[in-house]
């Protein structure tokens, strides 16, 4: 419960800024989209039951769908990210493993490992979102949009992480 309040705070400001500021953050002819709300979802602590990840991510996707009138695309992408989250964190754990309640952070996990984690998380989200938007007939466009959006969001998330989160001492 101790990690729930910082998570809800981060997820809350990320959702509000996504809706109010970055909703129209479309770059390179639709190939690069900003998913700032995913920054909040990637702050979920390690060790929760898998259904908690799915429910929390689905709730955030539902809110975005209702506010932005996207017809369930954000819900599907968020639910998929929630299902993949335990696998993403376990794929990038160090030799010592991840302790209960650990939140992926570049000051503790290294900037490279955090960048890969963000790229994989945003890649899952973007692949589902653009796959639903484009369909099978435009799979090349889906892959291009996923790659461009993932690179853009990794840069933005690293900037946010460097600006907003100070390393913990001790």
């Amino acid at each position: 419960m101790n990690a729930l309040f910082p998570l809800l705070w981060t997820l809350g400001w990320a959702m509000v800024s996504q809706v109010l500021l970055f909703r129209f953050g479309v770059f390179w002819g639709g190939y690069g989209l900003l998913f700032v709300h995913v920054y909040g979802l990637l702050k979920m602590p390690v060790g929760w039951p898998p259904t908690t990840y799915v429910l929390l991510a689905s709730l955030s996707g539902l809110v975005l769908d209702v506010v932005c009138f996207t017809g369930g695309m954000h819900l599907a992408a968020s639910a998929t990210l929630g299902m993949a989250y335990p696998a993403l964190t376990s794929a990038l754990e160090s030799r010592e493993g991840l302790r209960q309640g650990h939140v992926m952070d570049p000051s503790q996990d290294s900037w490279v490992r955090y960048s890969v984690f963000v790229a994989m998380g945003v890649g899952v989200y973007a692949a589902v979102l653009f796959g639903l938007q484009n369909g099978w007939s435009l799979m090349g466009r889906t892959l291009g949009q996923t790659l461009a959006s993932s690179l853009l969001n990794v840069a933005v998330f690293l900037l946010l992480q460097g600006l907003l989160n100070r390393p913990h001492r001790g």
Side-chain angles (χ1 to χ4, degrees):
M1 202 58 155
N2 194 12
L4 185 63
F5 295 114
L7 171 68
L8 291 178
W9 172 255
T10 304
L11 188 58
W13 71 256
M15 294 283 291
V16 168
S17 63
Q18 176 71 38
V19 170
L20 296 179
L21 298 174
F22 301 113
R23 183 167 147 189
F24 303 108
V26 179
F27 303 98
W28 309 308
Y31 276 83
L33 267 72
L34 285 174
F35 303 125
V36 177
H37 64 284
V38 176
Y39 178 80
L41 290 176
L42 293 178
K43 291 291 185 178
M44 293 187 287
V46 174
W48 283 357
T51 53
T52 307
Y53 296 123
V54 175
L55 288 175
L56 187 63
S58 297
L59 182 65
S60 71
L62 178 67
V63 168
L64 269 180
D65 280 333
V66 168
V67 173
C68 300
F69 304 112
T70 51
M73 291 190 334
H74 287 288
L75 175 63
S78 295
T80 306
L81 178 62
M83 285 187 278
Y85 194 81
L88 293 176
T89 55
S90 65
L92 292 172
E93 66 182 273
S94 62
R95 288 184 181 207
E96 298 84 33
L98 297 174
R99 68 186 185 286
Q100 186 83 4
H102 177 74
V103 176
M104 294 297 281
D105 188 290
S107 63
Q108 296 174 358
D109 299 310
S110 87
W111 285 93
V112 173
R113 184 173 286 147
Y114 181 73
S115 300
V116 171
F117 173 69
V118 168
M120 289 178 8
V122 173
V124 167
Y125 188 90
V128 172
L129 188 77
F130 293 131
L132 289 173
Q133 178 183 348
N134 296 330
W136 281 106
S137 62
L138 296 174
M139 189 53 66
R141 180 175 170 86
T142 299
L143 293 175
Q145 285 177 316
T146 300
L147 180 64
S149 293
S150 296
L151 291 175
L152 174 67
N153 282 290
V154 166
V156 169
F157 289 8
L158 290 177
L159 181 67
L160 282 173
Q161 189 70 30
L163 291 174
L164 298 178
N165 295 319
R166 296 173 40 185
H168 302 288
R169 295 186 184 185

